[in-house]
Amino acid sequence: MLEAAKCWARLLKCDVVALYLAARSPLTPWIARVAAACVAAYALSPIDLIPDFVPVLGYLDDLLIVPLGIWLVIRMIPAELMTRFRAEAAEITARPRSMAGLAFIMAVWLAVLALAGWWVLRRE
């Protein structure tokens, strides 16, 4: 059962990336582009409609709203286009991640935090 949930989560992740690609494609009907952009932005956003710390309801959007939105938008996009977007998304999500990029971003954040700390201490 846990393996099935992991597989479902991977498929959802791939579909979110596919919707992002669909939103950027001029081949996608305009209403589907708008809906795909909204669903992808919401799914990728760290801000939820209902915060996760709210008991039970906090995870409702992750378990119902996002998959329902993905399902609705997929039905708005022609099947042959969606197949192409899913293939592109699978390729994107299968690529290795850059550890150098991660190190760079972490270094930038640490530098910003150090600079902010220095600025705060200097003002006292």
Side-chain angles (χ1 to χ4, degrees):
M1 181 153 156
L2 182 61
E3 195 59 39
K6 286 181 183 180
C7 181
W8 183 68
R10 278 192 296 272
L11 288 174
L12 276 180
K13 179 182 174 186
C14 191
D15 278 347
V16 168
V17 174
L19 291 184
Y20 168 78
L21 295 171
R24 298 187 54 165
S25 174
L27 300 174
T28 306
W30 74 270
I31 190 74
R33 286 178 75 181
V34 172
C38 291
V39 170
Y42 183 76
L44 297 172
S45 171
I47 300 171
D48 288 341
L49 184 63
I50 305 168
D52 288 342
F53 63 82
V54 176
V56 180
L57 294 177
Y59 292 105
L60 189 63
D61 63 339
D62 298 328
L63 295 175
L64 292 177
I65 296 173
V66 172
L68 182 63
I70 291 171
W71 179 78
L72 287 172
V73 174
I74 287 173
R75 296 192 41 93
M76 297 170 73
I77 298 172
E80 62 276 354
L81 276 178
M82 196 62 209
T83 301
R84 190 174 111 199
F85 296 140
R86 281 182 171 149
E88 288 179 48
E91 184 180 313
I92 289 170
T93 57
R95 289 184 191 155
R97 288 168 178 67
S98 169
M99 294 306 285
L102 174 65
F104 175 74
I105 296 298
M106 288 180 65
V108 168
W109 275 108
L110 288 173
V112 167
L113 286 173
L115 185 61
W118 172 78
W119 183 74
V120 166
L121 290 175
R122 189 167 177 249
R123 292 195 51 112
E124 289 181 350

